[in-house]
Amino acid sequence: MFLNPMIPPVLRECQVIISVLFFCFFCSAVSLTSKPAGDVSNQTIVEKHAFRTWSLVTDSQTTNNSTELAYGYISCAVSVIFFGSNFVPVKKFDTGDGMFFQWILCAAIWIVSLIVNIILQCPKFWPLAMVGGVTWATGNITVVPILKTIGLGLGVLIWGSFNLLMGWASSRFGWFGIDPEEVAHPLLNYSGAGLSLLSAIIFFFVRSEVQRSTSSTETTPLLLDSRINNNEQGSLDESWVDNLTPKKKRIIGCALAVVAGLLYGTAFVPVLYIKNHAKNKDSRYAGASQFDLDYVFAQFCGIFLTSTVYFLLYCAAMKNKPKVYPKIILPGVASGLLWAIANCCWFLANNYLSAVVSFPIITAGPGLIAAIWGVLVFKEVKGLRNYLVLIVAFCIVVTGALLTAFSKV
């Protein structure tokens, strides 16, 4: 099983990295060979030559609707599994206040985007797409406090619900300057959004029990004042979250998950804005590619740049004595690779299925995967009452996601 908890941590991390790199090249290669023919006029000479060569080997007519649907749903499946599991590698390691971890995570994300960009023959870089990375990275700094307060399963469920609502509302009503998305069945669309909101409210009633990591032998940051003696080392990894009461942890964790979800939901807005305005000859974005994966590198550059700025500000606030945990590096890289592949697959799903179909599936699905990890492996949710509330809420959010997806069919 992928990420089997019985496998030693080092081997598990290696397994993650190898698997993720394989998926990276697979997804990027598929995306390169299946770019829409209408985009060829906007590609570089190298890309045009690549497509001519590919056309001589395969029949261009084989890319039919069924093939595109298959690519789209496979991308959705990979994205759902990886998004629901990307924080599993770091769950058993001390992350301190999370600032060093988020920087390592974002560095790994950028490396994947660089590989994808090279495979795609370096499509045109649109700086506006970086704004989506800025909003995502801003939401991402809340992840460690969320994991420490309400846990992996509940955290992903809450921010996934609000991610879905923000993504749905912005595309449905044309917020932030993008074209409103028309649907064939508005009643189904609104019903799905309403159920998603209801499920998000129900999730607040699930009580979770989050235990601090004890499996790692490292509890002391690498960079600390040498005057600290060994008797104090047991509490050095504590962050402000660890000193909160259970009630405050619950309130703050849920609030941060809501904020994270709203920020995550705006990550695709700049890309959609560029694609919408590419058809306008008078726009600065005229002729921009309609292939979603062409914007991955720009968005991920925004993620890494923003996380670096936040980390530098954190170092300055800590008077150049940040809490750096060396043993979180490999798990952080593995987590970043998982997330980057999941997001690349999301771009592919948007291309093959459209955002109004892929968005509900990919924002609702990871909650189930994370909930399974949280309940079966990490024991974050206990008690029959909590199980029942969790099951009811999840059934509602899945129903809402399906209604939203089918509203365009």
Side-chain angles (χ1 to χ4, degrees), residues 55-343:
S55 298
L56 293 175
V57 179
T58 61
D59 187 357
S60 61
Q61 298 301 320
T62 59
T63 308
N64 49 32
N65 290 336
S66 60
T67 303
E68 291 186 357
L69 286 176
Y71 282 151
Y73 286 116
I74 290 174
S75 298
C76 280
V78 175
S79 186
V80 165
I81 294 173
F82 281 17
F83 272 138
S85 304
N86 75 294
F87 290 115
V88 172
V90 301
K91 191 67 173 65
K92 292 295 185 180
F93 289 86
D94 291 325
T95 55
D97 49 30
M99 295 303 297
F100 177 68
F101 160 72
Q102 67 88 25
W103 186 72
I104 293 295
L105 174 98
C106 294
I109 289 173
W110 183 82
I111 290 173
V112 172
S113 73
L114 180 62
I115 296 173
V116 172
N117 194 56
I118 293 173
I119 293 175
L120 294 177
Q121 302 293 333
C122 301
K124 185 173 181 178
F125 187 97
W126 295 98
L128 180 62
M130 296 176 65
V131 177
V134 173
T135 60
W136 184 90
T138 303
N140 188 59
I141 63 176
T142 67
V143 165
V144 170
I146 291 172
L147 296 182
K148 287 189 172 186
T149 51
I150 59 177
L152 174 66
L154 186 57
V156 174
L157 286 169
I158 292 177
W159 79 51
S161 297
F162 282 90
N163 186 357
L164 169 59
L165 288 171
M166 175 58 77
W168 168 82
S170 59
S171 60
R172 181 69 182 88
F173 301 114
W175 292 356
F176 311 111
I178 64 177
D179 294 340
E181 188 81 31
E182 297 297 332
V183 293
H185 305 285
L187 181 60
L188 290 180
N189 196 262
Y190 290 122
S191 298
L195 288 177
S196 299
L197 177 60
L198 177 62
S199 68
I201 296 173
I202 295 176
F203 284 139
F204 291 131
F205 295 94
V206 178
R207 297 186 179 276
S208 59
E209 298 179 9
V210 182
Q211 297 179 351
R212 292 184 58 187
S213 173
T214 58
S215 62
S216 175
T217 57
E218 178 187 73
T219 57
T220 308
L222 179 64
L223 302 181
L224 280 177
D225 195 323
S226 60
R227 293 173 295 177
I228 298 178
N229 57 53
N230 293 331
N231 294 329
E232 297 174 328
Q233 289 182 356
S235 61
L236 292 179
D237 66 320
E238 289 186 352
S239 65
W240 59 272
V241 174
D242 299 310
N243 297 321
L244 297 174
T245 62
K247 184 177 181 180
K248 288 183 178 180
K249 281 186 177 182
R250 180 177 179 76
I251 295 174
I252 293 177
C254 291
L256 289 176
V258 171
V259 173
L262 294 176
L263 290 172
Y264 290 160
T266 62
F268 283 105
V269 169
V271 174
L272 295 175
Y273 183 90
I274 294 173
K275 291 178 61 179
N276 291 160
H277 288 75
K279 303 173 184 178
N280 185 357
K281 295 182 180 180
D282 297 328
S283 172
R284 69 175 66 181
Y285 304 109
S289 173
Q290 294 296 305
F291 188 57
D292 295 69
L293 207 60
D294 285 341
Y295 301 97
V296 163
F297 184 64
Q299 187 189 76
F300 287 14
C301 282
I303 290 174
F304 184 53
L305 179 62
T306 304
S307 67
T308 301
V309 170
Y310 286 152
F311 186 65
L312 292 176
L313 293 175
Y314 163 73
C315 291
M318 295 291 290
K319 298 180 180 179
N320 202 27
K321 295 177 183 178
K323 294 182 179 180
V324 176
Y325 294 80
K327 286 193 176 181
I328 200 62
I329 294 177
L330 275 182
V333 170
S335 181
L337 293 177
L338 283 170
W339 186 91
I341 298 305
N343 212 51

Side-chain angles (χ1 to χ4, degrees), residues 367-379:
L368 173 61
I369 306 300
I372 292 174
W373 283 109
V375 172
L376 300 182
V377 179
F378 302 118
K379 310 297 182 183

Side-chain angles (χ1 to χ4, degrees), residues 10-30:
V10 175
L11 295 180
R12 186 166 68 245
E13 293 154 16
C14 293
Q15 181 186 13
V16 170
I17 294 173
I18 293 173
S19 301
V20 169
L21 287 177
F22 171 78
F23 273 109
C24 176
F25 284 105
F26 171 76
C27 294
S28 300
V30 168

